[in-house]
């Protein structure tokens, strides 16, 4: 009998490291087609509509850009945190709090004009998200409370805060009873950068954020500290890097970026705060961060891939009647395949003779 | 407060606590074996939709509970295969399982929303619960008694049986357990499967015990509260029981504060809805102030195991 054994590689395989996300996408397409056929849908059609139509139909490119930008911004923040082994999974809540802080600025400056309103909203967004992430950071560093649970519980609470604000204190007096804020004034809205499209200023900003983050992570002491603390906490301690400081930085940066993405969404596509603002970008960005190999440049591509599945999911809904939940299944399958493939990054599959053969 | 009201409160609290308790008992066993499965919420949603569909098509509640347990096991095996066979990152895989469960249940539940099923009725005949006092003891469905029995079963298994000792050994020191001949991976697979079955049954509580319908994400983070509760209970089954009932109380306070009037009734509904999540944070913080919560955690929790030879 033939047996296989896993043998640890001395160095993680770079080739497999970068090939794995691509393989994961291909496997998802292959198995997705099989699974969706098995449950009675047009499986091949589903894969075509979800993965290919958004790319071949140029009308959909602006949708891709609009959907990808918050995913990239949040994903960049999460990839920095996960590099440091800080498991912030409450990005959705930080995204919401950033948007609420920006909404507060927009509402309290209503009736004023000035170029400063939008920057003020951006600052409020970043601060809102970072402040919300500071809560898990405080409890983690002071009392060693698990940041996964606190950041996630805060997300559920923040959703209720939206409901409260749009129902009572921030409700649009002219909104005919709808629980939503008034539409933001012109100076509180993100400008469109391509006329006649929905492409807003948040899209180039997302790319810039990723490039800056890549530069910082690969070239600065900050980036080095994040990586060392995440990969080898003991070595980091000897090297003089404070673990607590790293946890703080990781949560503030990832929370601030999530809040920034929330500001861009509320001042961009939404133009007002509505109960439907929580769009799951914060959770999907977790997959984006992993698919991008926790590397800001990789996150750009991963954000686009995930936006493709969102836009494609909507197309498949109208053309072949695939339920909207299908894109979530494809997205999580991608993450499963990626995590499974990672074993080949760290280990090498070796064929070994079984004991009987060895004895013979 | 009348006796009637008090009894009504107790019955509601018990109902709201049951799914959390069942899921948390499963996760406790999983964590005792040294595995951290953060996919509880996802497995619960898979259990909930399975139980709903089976009840809707067959009308058989007990078959629905069995199928929910089976679906929970199936989902947990995805996690088990990735983390135990392929030693993938447990945190990331658990999150992936929750995202998968959310999507899968939404897909499978397509077209089932707003369709009613009947709740699972009380286990004991009505005559036994005619008097209000007896309702507190005999007025529940089988799921409630199951959760209480499982508290004792899990405690007995972990503390008093040889198999429980092996499971704890695997969670405390996997390499030693391996070197004296126990199958670390095998034990962990069994624990993960048990956790999956319990999460599936916990999910079944939603359409069968709480609201007789299917709604997307109807577990609303209860799976995560169950995970937090295991920390709160410092991996002890009877403390889990107390914790789950405390949370059930927080969750149902809204209903009765409105009826009771007074200052509590002035609290906005949204704050009440946020209360269980905020309470979870408060409880985790209090536990950590009291002592270092991680000191009681299984030593190998979350660490992948690969035999060195």
């Amino acid at each position: 009998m033939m047996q296989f054994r896993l043998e640890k590689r001395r160095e993680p395989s770079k080739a497999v490291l970068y090939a794995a996300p691509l393989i994961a996408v291909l496997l998802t397409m292959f198995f997705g087609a099989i699974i969706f056929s098995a449950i009675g849908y047009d499986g091949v059609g589903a894969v075509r509509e979800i993965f290919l139509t958004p790319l071949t139909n140029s009308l959909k490119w602006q949708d891709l850009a609009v959907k990808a930008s918050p995913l990239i911004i949040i994903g960049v923040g999460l990839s920095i945190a996960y590099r440091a082994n800080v498991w912030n999974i409450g990005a959705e809540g930080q995204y919401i709090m950033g948007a609420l802080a920006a909404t507060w600025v927009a509402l309290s400056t209503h009736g004023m004009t000035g170029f400063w309103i939008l920057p003020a909203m951006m600052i409020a967004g970043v601060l809102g998200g970072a402040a919300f992430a500071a809560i898990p950071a405080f409890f983690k560093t002071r009392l060693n409370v698990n940041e996964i649970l606190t950041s996630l519980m805060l997300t559920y609470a923040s959703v209720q805060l939206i409901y409260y604000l749009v129902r009572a204190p921030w409700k649009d007096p002219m909104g005919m009873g709808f629980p939503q804020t008034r539409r933001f004034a012109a100076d509180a809205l993100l400008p469109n950068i391509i006329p006649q499209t929905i492409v807003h200023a948040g899209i180039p900003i997302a790319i810039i954020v990723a490039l800056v983050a890549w530069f910082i992570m690969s070239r600065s002491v900050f980036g080095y500290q994040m990586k060392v603390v995440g990969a080898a906490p003991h070595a980091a301690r000897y090297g003089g890097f404070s673990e607590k400081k790293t946890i703080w930085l990781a949560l503030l940066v990832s929370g601030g970026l999530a809040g920034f993405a929330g500001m861009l969404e509320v001042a961009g596509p939404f133009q007002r705060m509505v109960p439907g603002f929580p769009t799951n970008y914060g959770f999907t960005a977790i997959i984006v961060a992993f698919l991008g190999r926790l590397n800001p440049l990789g996150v750009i591509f991963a954000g686009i891939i995930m936006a493709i599945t969102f836009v494609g999911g909507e197309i498949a809904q109208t053309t072949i009647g695939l339920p909207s939940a299908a894109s979530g299944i494809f997205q999580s399958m991608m993450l499963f395949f990626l995590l499974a493939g990672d074993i080949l990054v760290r280990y090498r599959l070796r064929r070994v003779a079984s004991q009987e053969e060895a004895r013979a | 407060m009348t006796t009637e009201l008090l009894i009504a409160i107790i019955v509601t609290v018990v109902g709201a606590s049951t799914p959390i308790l069942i899921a948390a008992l499963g996760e406790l066993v999983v964590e005792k074996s040294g595995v951290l499965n953060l996919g509880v919420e996802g497995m619960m949603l898979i259990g909930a939709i399975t139980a709903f569909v089976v009840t809707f098509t067959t009308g058989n509640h007990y078959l629905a509970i069995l199928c929910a347990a089976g679906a929970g096991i199936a989902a947990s095996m995805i996690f088990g295969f990735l983390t135990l066979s392929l030693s993938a990152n447990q945190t990331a895989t658990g999150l992936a399982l929750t995202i998968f469960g959310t999507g899968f249940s939404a897909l499978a539940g397509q077209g089932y929303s707003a369709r009613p099923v009947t709740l699972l009725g009380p286990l004991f005949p009505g005559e036994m619960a005619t008097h209000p006092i007896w309702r507190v003891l005999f007025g529940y469905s089988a799921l409630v008694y199951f959760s209480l029995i499982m508290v004792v079963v899990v405690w007995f298994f972990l503390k008093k049986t040889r198999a429980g000792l092996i499971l704890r050994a695997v969670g405390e020191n996997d390499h030693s357990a391996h070197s004296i001949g126990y199958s670390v991976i095998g034990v962990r697979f069994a624990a993960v499967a048990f956790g999956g079955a319990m999460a599936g049954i916990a999910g079944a509580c939603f359409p069968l015990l709480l609201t007789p319908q299917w709604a997307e994400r109807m577990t609303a983070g209860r799976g995560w509260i169950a995970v937090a509760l295991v920390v709160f209970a410092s991996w002890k089954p009877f403390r889990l029981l107390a914790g789950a009932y405390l949370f059930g109380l927080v969750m149902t306070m809204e209903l009765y504060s409105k009826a009771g009037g007074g200052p509590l009734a002035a609290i906005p509904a949204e704050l009440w809805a946020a209360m269980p999540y905020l309470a979870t944070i408060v409880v985790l913080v209090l536990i950590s102030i009291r002592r270092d919560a991680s000191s009681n955690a299984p030593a190998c929790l979350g660490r992948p195991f690969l035999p060195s030879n």
Side-chain angles (χ1 to χ4, degrees), chain B residues 100-124:
Chain B
F100 174 76
T102 311
F104 175 85
S105 59
L107 179 72
Q110 197 89 15
Y112 283 106
S113 51
R115 293 196 185 184
V117 288
T118 48
L119 289 177
L120 176 61
L123 182 65
F124 297 106

Side-chain angles (χ1 to χ4, degrees), chain A residues 64-90:
Chain A
L64 286 183
V66 169
K67 285 242 167 23
S69 48
L71 290 174
I72 291 171
I73 296 175
I74 305 171
V76 164
L78 291 182
S79 66
I80 293 172
Y82 295 168
R83 264 290 166 87
N85 236 343
V86 175
W87 292 92
N88 177 14
I89 64 165

Side-chain angles (χ1 to χ4, degrees), chain B residues 32-73:
Chain B
K32 271 289 184 187
S33 80
V35 179
L36 179 68
N37 185 356
L38 295 180
V40 179
E41 177 85 357
M43 296 189 291
M44 272 170 78
L45 280 165
I46 290 173
I49 187 60
T50 306
F52 180 88
V53 172
V54 173
T55 312
F56 187 80
T57 45
T58 68
N60 188 331
H61 291 106
Y62 292 100
L63 182 66
I65 295 169
L66 271 181
C67 291
I73 293 174

Side-chain angles (χ1 to χ4, degrees), chain A:
Chain A
M1 247 188 62
M2 212 99 83
Q3 280 192 338
F4 290 95
R5 210 174 71 182
L6 288 170
E7 219 166 67
K8 197 162 179 111
R9 292 178 196 265
R10 238 174 272 145
E11 294 234 321
S13 162
K14 281 267 189 243
V16 186
L17 184 70
Y18 294 117
L22 198 68
I23 297 168
V25 173
L26 293 175
L27 284 175
T28 304
M29 291 164 80
F30 179 70
F31 284 100
I34 293 176
I35 291 169
F36 277 82
S37 302
I39 58 174
Y41 293 98
D42 172 7
V44 176
V47 169
R48 187 190 62 230
E49 297 289 63
I50 287 185
F51 287 94
L52 298 178
T53 311
L55 287 172
T56 52
N57 181 346
S58 59
L59 289 174
K60 296 289 173 194
W61 291 353
Q62 36 176 314
D63 290 340
L64 286 183
V66 169
K67 285 242 167 23
S69 48
L71 290 174
I72 291 171
I73 296 175
I74 305 171
V76 164
L78 291 182
S79 66
I80 293 172
Y82 295 168
R83 264 290 166 87
N85 236 343
V86 175
W87 292 92
N88 177 14
I89 64 165
E92 180 81 1
Q94 294 140 19
Y95 160 88
I96 287 170
M97 294 310 274
L100 285 177
T103 303
W104 175 72
V105 172
L107 293 178
S108 46
T109 59
H110 201 84
M112 298 182 213
T113 52
F115 69 92
W116 52 271
I117 292 178
L118 213 49
M121 286 169 69
M122 288 181 179
I123 293 168
V126 172
L127 291 180
F132 213 45
I135 301 171
F138 177 81
F139 289 140
K140 172 78 177 177
T141 52
R142 277 300 179 85
L143 299 161
N144 202 21
V145 178
N146 187 325
E147 75 277 17
I148 295 177
L149 295 170
T150 35
S151 64
L152 189 81
M153 291 297 138
L154 286 170
T155 299
Y156 286 101
S158 68
V159 171
Q160 296 299 328
L161 184 60
I162 295 189
Y163 295 165
Y164 171 71
L165 290 171
V166 299
R167 187 182 59 86
W170 286 0
K171 189 172 171 179
D172 181 3
M174 316 290 276
M176 295 186 297
F178 281 111
Q180 57 183 28
T181 67
R182 62 171 74 197
R183 192 172 178 275
F184 293 173
D187 279 357
L189 293 177
L190 273 192
N192 256 16
I193 50 165
I194 306 177
Q196 315 296 321
T197 68
I198 52 171
V199 178
H200 57 77
I203 288 140
I205 292 176
I207 304 292
I208 294 169
V209 164
L211 291 175
V212 170
W214 171 77
F215 189 78
I216 291 174
M217 284 303 280
S218 55
R219 297 280 184 275
S220 75
V221 180
F222 169 83
Y224 185 65
Q225 177 176 351
M226 290 288 150
K227 287 189 261 189
V228 172
V229 170
H234 289 288
R237 224 164 290 148
Y238 282 118
F241 289 138
S242 152
E243 208 177 340
K244 287 189 175 177
K245 200 176 142 202
T246 309
I247 293 170
W248 269 105
L249 285 172
L251 277 159
L252 290 182
V253 168
S254 57
L257 284 175
F260 185 48
M263 175 273 157
L264 294 174
E265 281 297 292
V266 77
F270 281 90
Q271 308 196 335
R272 56 157 51 106
M273 181 51 74
V274 293
F277 186 76
T279 36
N280 254 347
Y281 283 139
F283 291 111
T284 313
I286 296 172
I287 305 182
V288 170
F290 280 107
L291 202 61
R293 299 260 72 142
L294 307 185
N295 175 332
L297 292 187
V299 165
I300 297 180
F301 295 102
I304 294 170
I305 291 173
M306 215 51 68
I308 289 172
T309 62
F310 269 128
V311 175
E314 284 165 15
I315 298 172
Q317 212 178 339
T318 49
T319 54
I320 61 172
L322 201 70
S324 60
S327 42
I329 304 228
F330 277 101
Q331 290 166 358
S332 47
M333 268 171 73
M334 247 182 262
L335 185 49
F336 280 141
F337 282 122
L338 184 73
L339 292 168
D342 266 355
I343 195 168
L344 297 176
V345 177
R346 286 169 290 128
Y347 296 90
R348 175 196 319 274
L349 206 56
R350 263 282 157 84
R351 218 167 59 193
V352 290
S354 72
Q355 283 173 338
E356 294 88 62
E357 275 175 306
R359 248 182 258 123

